[in-house]
Amino acid sequence: MGKLTRILAVAGVWAIPLLALAGEAGKAEDKGFYLKDGDFTLETEFWVHMRADYLKTNYDFSGDAFSGLVNTEIDPKLEFRIKHARAIFGGKAFFPWLSWRIQTDFGKGQSRIHDAWVQVETAPKNGWRIGQFKAPFDIYKLTSESYGNFAERPQGTEFLWPRTRDVGVMYYGSTETKRFNWMAAVQNGNGDNQDENDNNKFMLSARGEFQSEGGFEYKMSAIDHPDKLKYTVGLALMSNPQGNLIGNVTQDCVLGTDDKCTYRTVDRTAIELFGALRGKRWQATTSLQQWSFEDGRLDSDGKLTDADLRYWNVDVGFFVSERDEILARIGQWEFTDPSYDSEGDTVNESSDEWRVGYSHYFLGNNFKFTVDYGQATDSTDVEFSGAGGTQDLSTEGLRFLLAFQI
């Protein structure tokens, strides 16, 4: 953990009893509580997500290339876990133009600080953020899981963007009506500041979007039931010279059946076109992304070339009553060009996901229950010395989520 995150964590912990003794306190309108003493405020938020899964796994093989392998089904079993147990602190730091935030998570048997930043507002709705924070890329990752719809984010987002927070600096801004918004960040690219930075290169990301008047809140649900149509549409870019990719490039192995097919790429770049609409009873969110991994594949001549990947996803929710929401999701990622080896053998990879779900909101977004059912299938198509085949690894079943936030 970096020095800045340690300083902010200690400051946040000590601020609680001091403000409780010296200042005023109250309940926030949406969720959480606040303590205030002069120009210093402490806003708190706590949430717990309890998760249960009942999933089965299937390995299916077809074609001559996999003739020696037998289809296998792993029986489902019920698994419970605390997905998130988060405590969030933030507020103003002695000046109206200086704010701060700390987010900790004790879920999944780990203890980790996610957000740890200070923010300086240099002009109305414009400023700088310094510390550890989310890179401004992927609308699904930028939406807090406290405002999620399904039990998990789309599997394509989790595959391509498993690390969401990095140490760095970001400039942000918007127009007076919030119709135009922009962000640009320079970060270390390691993710949650857990790894040593083994080079002197940085991850760069930028985002621009056009929104309905008054702005668009990143929520995956229409639980606030707005009276007017809300929307956002925009473009995001990212370049990270420290990316990891699993694949079959220079080793002689079969992708999907040999875990030694691992290598490190020197660079990854991505572009995202995204949009979301929210009506009084419905919400729709989509993201289309194009990724490129430098030297991530071998071409037909046996030379290293970029591996290009396309990813898209659509989430839709509709309220059949004030508290009951039905959900649907469909998404896919796939490499748009095959990988070759020295003998001309090829490998193609893709993954598809579909899910349907239901949520009941007991106390608005502060207390809800979600159940969803669906399938995610990873497919590998191969062509070895004239023998072709397909391997499908699919996970299918039910996922449950009980979310409490205050």
Side-chain angles (χ1 to χ4, degrees):
M1 186 189 304
K3 291 183 180 180
L4 177 62
T5 57
R6 285 196 292 267
I7 292 172
L8 289 174
V10 172
V13 171
W14 280 102
I16 298 175
L18 292 177
L19 290 177
L21 293 173
E24 61 180 277
K27 176 73 173 65
E29 182 177 349
D30 184 13
K31 57 184 175 182
F33 300 88
Y34 73 90
L35 299 171
K36 183 178 181 180
D37 183 21
D39 291 327
F40 191 95
T41 61
L42 171 63
E43 300 168 6
T44 65
E45 181 182 329
F46 305 95
W47 40 286
V48 176
H49 288 184
M50 291 174 285
R51 175 79 177 273
D53 295 339
Y54 188 71
L55 306 172
K56 68 176 181 179
T57 303
N58 292 311
Y59 293 86
D60 296 320
F61 305 93
S62 61
D64 296 337
F66 296 106
S67 59
L69 300 177
V70 179
N71 294 346
T72 303
E73 179 178 315
I74 300 176
D75 293 334
K77 62 178 180 180
L78 193 61
E79 296 181 349
F80 294 90
R81 69 178 184 273
I82 301 296
K83 182 184 178 184
H84 296 302
R86 294 192 178 181
I88 304 171
F89 309 96
K92 297 294 183 180
F94 306 112
F95 303 98
W97 45 265
L98 183 63
S99 57
W100 61 283
R101 179 181 173 93
I102 301 169
Q103 181 176 170
T104 61
D105 194 343
F106 304 95
K108 300 178 182 178
Q110 298 178 337
S111 176
R112 176 172 292 183
I113 289 182
H114 287 308
D115 290 325
W117 50 258
V118 293
Q119 191 163 275
V120 179
E121 187 175 296
T122 55
K125 299 181 175 60
N126 289 263
W128 296 85
R129 180 176 296 180
I130 305 169
Q132 181 169 289
F133 52 86
K134 289 183 179 181
F137 189 88
D138 195 322
I139 191 171
Y140 295 106
K141 278 293 187 181
L142 289 174
T143 301
S144 170
E145 288 192 84
S146 63
Y147 289 106
N149 45 9
F150 287 88
E152 286 283 0
R153 291 187 174 102
Q155 58 94 20
T157 286
E158 296 294 348
F159 168 73
L160 289 166
W161 203 235
R163 298 173 170 182
T164 58
R165 292 168 173 87
D166 293 90
V167 173
V169 58
M170 179 174 70
Y171 173 72
Y172 67 91
S174 69
T175 57
E176 183 66 27
T177 61
K178 294 186 178 181
R179 280 191 175 274
F180 295 96
N181 302 268
W182 54 88
M183 298 177 179
V186 179
Q187 296 167 280
N188 66 0
N190 286 328
D192 287 356
N193 199 24
Q194 298 297 309
D195 303 327
E196 294 295 330
N197 195 345
D198 57 3
N199 62 29
N200 58 358
K201 299 179 181 180
F202 296 95
M203 179 175 70
L204 308 176
S205 53
R207 187 178 194 84
E209 55 191 310
F210 177 75
Q211 298 183 347
S212 50
E213 187 173 1
F216 182 89
E217 292 185 282
Y218 275 19
K219 300 177 181 179
M220 291 293 161
S221 166
I223 184 58
D224 53 345
H225 302 301
D227 292 328
K228 295 182 179 180
L229 181 68
K230 299 289 185 177
Y231 61 83
T232 185
V233 61
L235 187 71
L237 306 171
M238 185 275 295
S239 175
N240 186 2
Q242 243 186 331
N244 285 326
L245 181 68
I246 303 300
N248 182 13
V249 176
T250 57
Q251 293 103 336
D252 184 16
C253 56
V254 179
L255 184 68
T257 62
D258 191 335
D259 59 7
K260 295 180 181 179
C261 299
T262 306
Y263 60 92
R264 177 176 288 275
T265 61
V266 261
D267 191 17
R268 59 176 178 172
T269 58
I271 182 171
E272 177 195 19
L273 177 63
F274 62 91
L277 290 168
R278 181 182 302 127
K280 190 169 185 178
R281 288 185 174 270
W282 59 274
Q283 163 96 6
T285 307
T286 185
S287 177
L288 172 63
Q289 302 175 21
Q290 182 71 40
W291 289 67
S292 180
F293 298 83
E294 182 181 341
D295 292 342
R297 297 224 155 183
L298 292 176
D299 62 18
S300 56
D301 296 324
K303 297 179 180 179
L304 286 171
T305 186
D306 293 351
D308 296 323
L309 181 146
R310 182 174 58 246
Y311 162 54
W312 62 269
N313 190 86
V314 179
D315 278 9
V316 178
F318 181 79
F319 278 85
V320 295
S321 73
E322 289 296 309
R323 296 186 178 185
D324 298 284
E325 182 184 26
I326 56 175
L327 306 165
R329 166 182 292 166
I330 184 170
Q332 179 191 70
W333 63 257
E334 63 176 341
F335 284 97
T336 55
D337 49 3
S339 177
Y340 295 83
D341 65 15
S342 57
E343 298 179 355
D345 300 329
T346 65
V347 177
N348 277 308
E349 306 158 73
S350 63
S351 183
D352 297 274
E353 181 185 29
W354 64 267
R355 305 206 74 84
V356 293
Y358 162 78
S359 290
H360 179 77
Y361 295 80
F362 297 94
L363 295 172
N365 196 65
N366 291 350
F367 185 29
K368 70 176 183 179
F369 170 77
T370 298
V371 57
D372 63 62
Y373 176 84
Q375 182 182 75
T377 302
D378 298 330
S379 298
T380 304
D381 296 322
V382 300
E383 185 73 30
F384 294 146
S385 302
T390 300
Q391 173 193 272
D392 291 329
L393 168 59
S394 63
T395 303
E396 180 181 357
L398 290 165
R399 306 185 306 195
F400 305 88
L401 178 69
L402 187 64
F404 176 75
Q405 295 147 189
I406 188 171

